[in-house]
Amino acid sequence: MLLKELTACRGVSGSEGEIRARLKALAEERGGVCTVDRMGNLIARKDGGDASAPHVLLAAHMDEVGLIVTGVRDDGLLRYKPVGGIDPRVMVSKPVLLGDGRVPGVIGAKAIHLQSEADRDRVLDHDQLYIDIGAKAKAEAEKLCPPGTYAVFDSPPESFGEGMVVSRALDDRIGCLTLLSALSHGYRGHMICAFTVQEEVGLRGAKVLGHYLEHDLVIVLETTAANDVGDVPFEKQVCGVKKGVVISHMDATSIAHPRLRSVMESIAASAGIPHQPKRYLSGGNDAGALQRAGEAKPAVVLSVPCRYIHSPASVAAEMDIQAQADLTNAFLDALPTAWAEICK
């Protein structure tokens, strides 16, 4: 399963080299002509030969949330900071891998019986946690994992339940998988597939891309927090797992172009592709940067529902992942004809 291969690659924001190299090889196998810009964004172009067709930009971020070592204590324990938004409640006792050598470590905290009553009544923040790599002293730890070393959760992708997958980095290796599907599928006009960097720390790669790429419209392929389990009221559930790809009206950083969104919904309905709206406004993504860059372009976001996002064990449904790819490819087929409706 290609998704498992993509999620196994490391790519914390600012350290995307491993996942970028693999995506570049996969994109070139599918006919993409690839370049890498100074920011680290991977751009794969594929021209179908029809100069009259609108130029389409498909984008997904290749980076993932993770950790970076900020210092080493005298006892050999590592201080760290999160890279991207990670809830400290998911951290304690989780295994991690550090640096190119994949040094094993575990997130530690003061033993519960040594914590104060106040500590036990609140969530320990990241600055009260540490990474234990088994080092006996500072010098040993610094040799293995000096400050600046990146860490990822050690949580290999696995099949899960009925038609589900559990892994770190589903956000947004799922979108990257859909870009590869689009390259294989092809488009009669000029298509750009952008695998962006540093989305998790402020859409930084997309902010650069939007100012130099030439395109007529933007489709961002993402994941979104489902929030559909437990006692969450229906009106606060963002979307539902196994209910199809999410076609967003709005999120925290962008508002979908209304006619582009309407065309996308019509194509999904006509093709029988499972789809749903985003019921509760949350999160942001590269559309917030790409929509406003340069001369501004029509944009819409297609997301896959994902439980426990930004954690070591994110969960998504294979049918929702397939729906995102199916709708993207169906839209590419319909785009030259639908362009007049979008532009009117």
Side-chain angles (χ1 to χ4, degrees), residues 59 199 202-204 206-208 210-211 218-220 222 250-256 283-294 296-297 299-301:
E199 188 268 356
L203 319 183
R204 296 176 186 178
K207 288 177 181 177
V208 172
H211 290 286
V218 179
I219 310 298
V220 172
E222 257 288 7
M250 177 181 178
D251 55 44
T253 63
S254 67
I255 298 175
N285 51 67
D286 281 340
L290 295 171
Q291 184 182 56
R292 294 178 288 176
K297 307 296 181 183
V300 72
V301 182

Side-chain angles (χ1 to χ4, degrees), residues 8 17 22 40 47 54 83 109 180 189 227 270 305 309 329 338:
R22 187 64 191 123
D47 198 336
V83 182
L180 294 174
N227 201 29
S270 297
I309 206 166
N329 292 336

Side-chain angles (χ1 to χ4, degrees), residues 81-147:
K81 287 291 184 183
V83 182
I86 306 176
D87 189 334
R89 289 175 292 184
V90 308
M91 298 297 295
V92 177
S93 299
K94 299 302 189 297
V96 294
L97 298 172
L98 295 102
D100 294 339
R102 286 176 161 77
V103 176
V106 64
I107 306 297
K110 184 190 295 185
I112 186 71
H113 62 279
L114 298 179
Q115 293 178 20
S116 67
E117 185 175 343
D119 285 339
R120 290 194 295 270
D121 288 341
R122 63 186 176 87
V123 176
L124 297 179
D125 206 347
H126 290 286
D127 61 6
Q128 296 174 285
L129 306 176
Y130 51 81
I131 304 175
D132 186 347
I133 59 170
K136 297 177 181 178
K138 182 175 183 178
E140 180 185 355
E142 279 188 328
K143 184 177 181 180
L144 290 169
C145 301

Side-chain angles (χ1 to χ4, degrees), residues 312-324:
S314 299
V315 170
E318 293 173 4
M319 65 161 287
D320 296 334
I321 297 170
Q322 188 62 52
Q324 185 188 61

